[in-house]
């Protein structure tokens, strides 16, 4: 937050990096529309294929230092919302909500203090990534 406050022009790239780094949808299933061979594996029309968005967004052949959070990462061709004709219809709204939240936190000077790592609890579904519990203190008192 300190970096974004001092470099607010990074908000758009930071939004993309947050989405890449912690994909809310980890795995998504599709049915193959036609027969094909991919990496030596035969996939037949109708077969269920699992797409690992979370893994793809950490692919070291695509992203330099994929496990690092880089607010200025560019390019950032993550697959968090899918791609092409299967791009999530709500992707633009999700990006806007995240950007507005970050900009509001910056403008108000709010300070965030997350609870301890032990207090966090992740949801147990394997296909979606999200916190079931996130203790967070938001201090909105101006310090200057």
């Amino acid at each position: 937050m300190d970096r974004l406050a001092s470099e607010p022009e990074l908000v758009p790239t930071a939004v993309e990096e947050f989405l890449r780094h912690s994909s809310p949808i980890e795995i998504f299933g599709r049915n193959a529309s036609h027969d094909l061979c991919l990496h030596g594996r035969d996939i037949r029309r109708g077969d269920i294929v699992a797409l690992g968005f979370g893994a793809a967004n950490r692919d070291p052949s695509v992203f330099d230092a994929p496990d690092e959070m880089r607010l200025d990462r560019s390019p950032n061709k993550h697959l968090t919302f899918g791609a092409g004709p299967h791009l999530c219809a709500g992707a633009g709204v999700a990006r806007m909500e995240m950007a507005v939240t970050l900009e509001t936190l910056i403008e108000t000077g709010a300070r965030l203090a997350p609870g301890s790592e032990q207090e966090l609890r992740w949801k147990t579904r394997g296909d979606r990534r999200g916190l079931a519990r996130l203790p967070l203190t938001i201090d909105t008192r101006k310090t200057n």
Side-chain angles (χ1 to χ4, degrees), residues 15-34:
V15 165
E16 297 305 318
E17 181 66 349
F18 293 147
L19 290 167
R20 180 201 69 81
H21 194 268
S22 188
S23 305
I25 303 296
E26 291 290 309
I27 298 172
F28 197 80
R30 292 277 188 215
N31 293 91
S33 60
H34 59 276

Side-chain angles (χ1 to χ4, degrees), residues 8 12 39-40 49-50 86 88 93 100 129:
H39 300 288
V49 180
H86 298 289
C88 174
V93 173
V100 168
R129 180 172 171 81

Side-chain angles (χ1 to χ4, degrees), residues 58-133:
R58 299 285 185 104
D59 184 344
S61 72
V62 177
F63 300 99
D64 182 45
D67 294 331
E68 288 181 17
M69 175 79 66
R70 294 183 176 176
L71 301 183
D72 57 355
R73 187 180 297 274
S74 181
N76 193 343
K77 300 285 186 183
H78 64 80
L79 296 174
T80 298
F81 295 118
H86 298 289
L87 181 69
C88 174
V93 173
R95 286 179 167 108
M96 181 186 65
E97 288 174 338
M98 188 177 276
V100 168
T101 299
L102 290 172
E103 289 164 353
T104 301
L105 290 169
I106 292 166
E107 288 170 14
T108 61
R111 306 297 297 175
L112 305 178
S116 70
E117 187 76 26
Q118 293 76 27
E119 294 177 284
L120 298 177
R121 191 171 65 245
W122 290 94
K123 293 181 180 179
T124 56
R125 278 188 75 152
D127 61 338
R128 295 187 181 107
R129 180 172 171 81
L131 289 165
R133 185 165 187 264

